[in-house]
Amino acid sequence: MKIAILDDYQHVALGYADWDSLGAEIEVCTEAFGGPDEVVARLAGFDVVVAMRERTPFPAAVLDRLPGLQLLVTTGQRNAAIDLAAAKRGGVVVSGTGNLTAPTAEHVWALILAAARGLPAEFRSMRDGGWQVGVGSTVRGKTLGLLGLGRLGAESARIGQAFGMKPIAWSRHLTAERAAEHGATLVSREELFAEADVLSIHLVLSERTRGLVGAADLAGMKPTALLVNTSRGPIVAEDALVEALREKKIAAAALDVYDTEPLPSDHPLRTLDNAILTPHIGYVSRESYEIFYRDAVEDIAAFQAGSPIRVVE
């Protein structure tokens, strides 16, 4: 059996699980592929592929050109970058792994506090031999707007309350009762953007949510507001966000996700002082990787034994 482990950017995958127990030929890919043709060229001949989240897309145009692929393991139990219908049509089993929400929820607050206190500028000043360069803000007493109140949104609401913030929330099917269960107040979409001092996005990317946050929404926010996105980049219209930041329509954006990942080196977001950027590391932690790779090895062993587990359908 030939196994490809994809997108091991930190060169750590082999250290988090007992891959030798599989008795297989294993190749680790540490760089992002350039596009569908490179994916097909690099993965031809592999029986099993282990994908890290949605770093490498597997649409029908890729899966249909990998006739030898038998098992595709995705970390987590949901992967919008895999065409499950195409996988099933081609006889490819898709298995998932366990997942943790705590690392992403913690990262949300790392971004919020870094932005509120202007930490990136202070870090740079200290490294350059300087001292205080800005005046930050507190979050206590401010309004936390949550676009989506699922597991991560609810966790963010609880943390916000611990910081003395007032959580408000909106999503298409959110009810006042469910919002109240998590200490939040249901508001209209317009009120969410208008009232939030910090607006954090917690939605799944779908055709309904792609481009959901546009220029009009950003224009309706306070000029002192912070937008935080740790969900998926395309939920926010990227061009509109860049314009809003350039024109100071909002104070700042703290982003962990982007339309194109890795984010191109010449992307305009990289040039904006009011964009606090991290490289999609919300879920990246030792604890998450231990679960991801341990479960991936279990998935492959079960498949070898003829009884696939954690099948994603």
Side-chain angles (χ1 to χ4, degrees):
M1 177 177 281
K2 291 185 64 177
I3 302 171
I5 303 173
L6 305 189
D7 298 310
D8 181 18
Y9 298 160
Q10 297 94 354
H11 302 254
V12 297
L14 295 181
Y16 278 104
D18 184 10
W19 297 94
D20 291 341
S21 66
L22 298 172
E25 178 184 339
I26 298 175
E27 180 176 327
V28 180
C29 303
T30 58
E31 301 291 334
F33 296 141
D37 290 342
E38 186 176 353
V39 174
V40 171
R42 291 289 301 276
L43 299 183
F46 283 94
D47 306 292
V48 178
V49 169
V50 178
M52 175 55 72
R53 303 290 292 190
E54 296 169 3
R55 292 177 182 176
T56 296
F58 285 91
V62 168
L63 291 169
D64 291 347
R65 296 161 65 193
L66 293 173
L69 182 62
Q70 301 174 46
L71 174 67
L72 176 56
V73 178
T74 175
T75 53
Q77 277 292 321
R78 179 191 292 131
N79 191 326
I82 297 175
D83 187 327
L84 294 175
K88 185 175 183 179
R89 183 174 65 246
V92 179
V93 175
V94 180
S95 286
T97 71
N99 192 23
L100 296 175
T101 57
T104 303
E106 291 172 3
H107 194 65
V108 169
W109 286 91
L111 289 174
I112 290 172
L113 296 176
R117 300 304 294 267
L119 294 188
E122 304 296 350
F123 291 156
R124 287 193 297 270
S125 177
M126 291 296 285
R127 285 188 177 276
D128 293 341
W131 197 236
Q132 298 175 6
V133 294
V135 179
S137 299
T138 63
V139 297
R140 181 171 294 277
K142 304 291 177 59
T143 298
L144 172 64
L146 298 160
L147 185 58
L149 200 62
R151 286 189 305 165
L152 281 168
E155 181 68 14
S156 295
R158 287 191 289 272
I159 297 171
Q161 288 176 289
F163 276 107
M165 298 189 77
K166 171 192 171 185
I168 60 174
W170 176 87
S171 66
R172 282 191 174 92
H173 303 295
L174 182 63
T175 65
E177 292 75 19
R178 173 157 176 78
E181 287 176 10
H182 299 293
T185 300
L186 176 66
V187 296
S188 68
R189 175 173 168 166
E190 293 75 16
E191 289 172 323
L192 182 77
F193 284 94
E195 296 179 12
D197 295 296
V198 175
L199 191 140
S200 189
I201 298 170
H202 299 285
L203 296 173
V204 174
L205 179 62
S206 68
E207 288 311 307
R208 289 197 308 174
T209 61
R210 186 178 296 274
L212 179 67
V213 179
D217 301 303
L218 297 170
M221 295 178 69
K222 299 176 182 179
T224 54
L226 165 67
L227 176 86
V228 182
N229 190 3
T230 56
S231 294
R232 291 295 181 268
I235 294 171
V236 181
E238 194 171 78
D239 290 345
L241 178 58
V242 169
E243 180 184 0
L245 292 170
R246 280 178 174 161
E247 297 185 4
K248 303 297 194 301
K249 293 179 180 177
I250 60 174
L255 309 174
D256 189 48
V257 290
Y258 311 92
D259 283 12
T260 301
E261 297 183 2
L263 187 68
S265 59
D266 60 349
H267 196 282
L269 282 170
R270 292 183 183 266
T271 68
L272 300 172
D273 289 339
N274 55 350
I276 294 87
L277 311 177
T278 54
H280 203 158
I281 56 171
Y283 64 92
V284 176
S285 69
R286 292 185 180 90
E287 294 79 6
S288 291
Y289 275 20
E290 286 170 356
I291 292 172
F292 286 165
Y293 289 123
R294 179 202 67 202
D295 287 3
V297 169
E298 290 179 359
D299 288 346
I300 298 168
F303 181 81
Q304 287 176 320
S307 301
I309 58 175
R310 290 188 282 262
V311 175
V312 180
E313 295 179 322

